[in-house]
Amino acid sequence: LVFSLYFFYKRQSPLALFAWLWFFIAFIPMNGILIPVNSFILEHWLYLPSLGFFMVIGQGLSHPSLKKAGYVLAILLIFPSIYLTHQRNKDWQSPLQFYSNILKYSSGTARVHNNIAMAYSDQNEWAKAETHYLKAIELSDIYPQTRYNLARIYIELKNYDQALKHLDRSLEIDSEFTYALKLKSQLMDYLKQRQKTLDQ
């Protein structure tokens, strides 16, 4: 960065200097040095900083000696970019598609596994949902939502002992987690009523 600043300063190129500073300053919140971040790199972090990069590219292509070549290069870049954007949009068609794409390239985080499990739950694919909830818990058992979501799966499967176990753990993590409190109360009432019916 220091070398680049010196280079652009000596070349007396204020636009290039501004663009380069724009890139690095806009990226400061995402570099993890001043503010902790929860990922190594995310593509949307580069939206704003990349304006500086494209300013420099645009300035270079507008140079009189590169003008014709600039048009050709711009055309060659535009069509592949359209295609790649179209392909990338497919990854955003649904939560299941989005999180499945993430898992193609990494083992995923607890949040990713929880979210893909929720997507499977929405489709009533309980076995797949259960697998991903358990993976999320294995990676990081600090979210009451994951245990609560898994308890809901076990209720659907009529595995009430497991459901209570995960609701209890959800409330251990956060004793005021409203959804777990409500679901546990409903489940306990249901089990008491069922037992009464059986006793009769």
Side-chain angles (χ1 to χ4, degrees), residues 37-54:
V37 292
N38 63 356
S39 296
F40 178 67
I41 186 72
L42 297 173
E43 62 185 33
H44 64 266
W45 290 353
L46 293 174
Y47 292 166
L48 193 59
S50 68
L51 291 176
F53 173 77
F54 289 115

Side-chain angles (χ1 to χ4, degrees), residues 94-101 103-104 112-135 149 152-153 156:
S94 69
L96 186 56
Q97 182 73 21
F98 177 75
Y99 292 111
S100 295
N101 184 63
L103 294 179
K104 282 183 188 175
V112 167
H113 282 283
N114 180 72
N115 290 346
I116 197 170
M118 290 174 67
Y120 278 124
S121 293
D122 289 342
Q123 296 181 5
N124 297 334
E125 295 193 46
W126 310 124
K128 290 180 180 178
E130 178 189 18
T131 298
H132 284 284
Y133 283 136
L134 290 172
K135 183 64 177 176
N149 290 336
R152 291 181 61 193
I153 295 287
E156 290 289 342

Side-chain angles (χ1 to χ4, degrees), residues 5-166:
L5 290 174
Y6 177 75
F7 175 78
F8 287 127
Y9 174 76
K10 293 298 284 185
R11 291 288 300 272
Q12 296 185 341
S13 178
L15 178 61
L17 179 61
F18 171 80
W20 206 238
L21 283 171
W22 176 285
F23 179 87
F24 282 101
I25 290 171
F27 194 70
I28 285 173
M30 286 79 77
N31 66 17
I33 296 172
L34 300 178
I35 303 167
V37 292
N38 63 356
S39 296
F40 178 67
I41 186 72
L42 297 173
E43 62 185 33
H44 64 266
W45 290 353
L46 293 174
Y47 292 166
L48 193 59
S50 68
L51 291 176
F53 173 77
F54 289 115
M55 282 183 212
V56 173
I57 297 295
Q59 184 185 31
L61 292 177
S62 66
H63 193 277
S65 64
L66 295 175
K67 210 160 192 180
K68 288 182 181 177
Y71 289 136
V72 173
L73 183 59
I75 290 169
L76 290 174
L77 288 173
I78 285 170
F79 288 104
S81 295
I82 291 170
Y83 172 77
L84 291 170
T85 300
H86 179 264
Q87 292 300 108
R88 182 66 175 138
N89 283 340
K90 292 178 181 177
D91 296 330
W92 294 81
Q93 285 180 348
S94 69
L96 186 56
Q97 182 73 21
F98 177 75
Y99 292 111
S100 295
N101 184 63
I102 290 174
L103 294 179
K104 282 183 188 175
Y105 303 101
S106 72
S107 59
T109 63
R111 185 169 64 96
V112 167
H113 282 283
N114 180 72
N115 290 346
I116 197 170
M118 290 174 67
Y120 278 124
S121 293
D122 289 342
Q123 296 181 5
N124 297 334
E125 295 193 46
W126 310 124
K128 290 180 180 178
E130 178 189 18
T131 298
H132 284 284
Y133 283 136
L134 290 172
K135 183 64 177 176
I137 290 167
E138 178 189 324
L139 290 170
S140 182
D141 191 16
I142 60 171
Y143 303 107
Q145 296 89 342
T146 308
R147 293 282 186 166
Y148 164 78
N149 290 336
L150 186 53
R152 291 181 61 193
I153 295 287
Y154 288 128
I155 289 171
E156 290 289 342
L157 297 174
K158 302 190 184 324
N159 189 341
Y160 302 120
D161 289 340
Q162 282 294 321
L164 284 171
K165 171 188 163 186
H166 289 288

